[in-house]
Amino acid sequence: MTNPPFPEPPVPNSSNPATPPPTAPPAPPAAPPTWDAGPGAAPAAGYAAPAAPAYPQPEPSPPGRVLSIVGLVLAFVAAPIGLILSIVAAVKLGKGGQPKGLAIAGIVVGAVLTIIEIIGIILFIAFFAAIFGMCAELGTGVWEVNGVTYTCG
């Protein structure tokens, strides 16, 4: 098998050149582009229309949505803080016209657990106040009163 021969390179000042002579540059557009045209205007002569965005932009989160989730979670961990955050989230969601279900759940859970914590604190204080009062009345030592042993001292 033989390879075909290469074409002859053109000779300078030849009467039959292998490549055509260079052409003149294209003429400029007839009118300059209009930069202040509105979004619906047709593109200027000689210019392509702008391309559509590659993908749609994500919807922004409604104001207060994340705050309502954080408020509901904190309502179980730190009830008063969760209650306050859930109230703030409900106000923000109400102003934004968004559903307030998680915020209301955080308010209910936070309020119930806050009331239970307050009752527990009151009972705790009352219990130890009774013990300290009994020891103040009895004095130092080990005492048995109505079947209950008190160790004071």
Side-chain angles (χ1 to χ4, degrees):
M1 181 185 305
T2 62
N3 291 332
F6 291 108
E8 294 284 331
V11 179
N13 294 331
S14 157
S15 62
N16 190 7
T19 58
T23 59
T34 56
W35 302 107
D36 56 280
Y47 293 96
Y55 55 90
Q57 296 296 320
E59 286 289 322
S61 174
R65 172 65 68 193
V66 174
L67 197 58
S68 66
I69 295 170
V70 171
L72 179 61
V73 170
L74 280 178
F76 289 104
V77 179
I81 296 171
L83 174 65
I84 293 169
L85 287 179
S86 295
I87 291 171
V88 171
V91 169
K92 283 188 175 186
L93 288 170
K95 286 182 181 178
Q98 299 295 322
K100 304 184 270 186
L102 286 175
I104 292 173
I107 291 170
V108 170
V109 170
V112 168
L113 291 180
T114 300
I115 291 170
I116 290 173
E117 287 177 4
I118 290 172
I119 292 171
I121 290 170
I122 291 171
L123 291 176
F124 182 78
I125 291 172
F127 176 73
F128 281 103
I131 291 175
F132 292 139
M134 184 63 76
C135 282
E137 185 180 314
L138 295 175
T140 306
V142 178
W143 302 91
E144 186 172 331
V145 179
N146 296 332
V148 178
T149 304
Y150 294 96
T151 305
C152 303

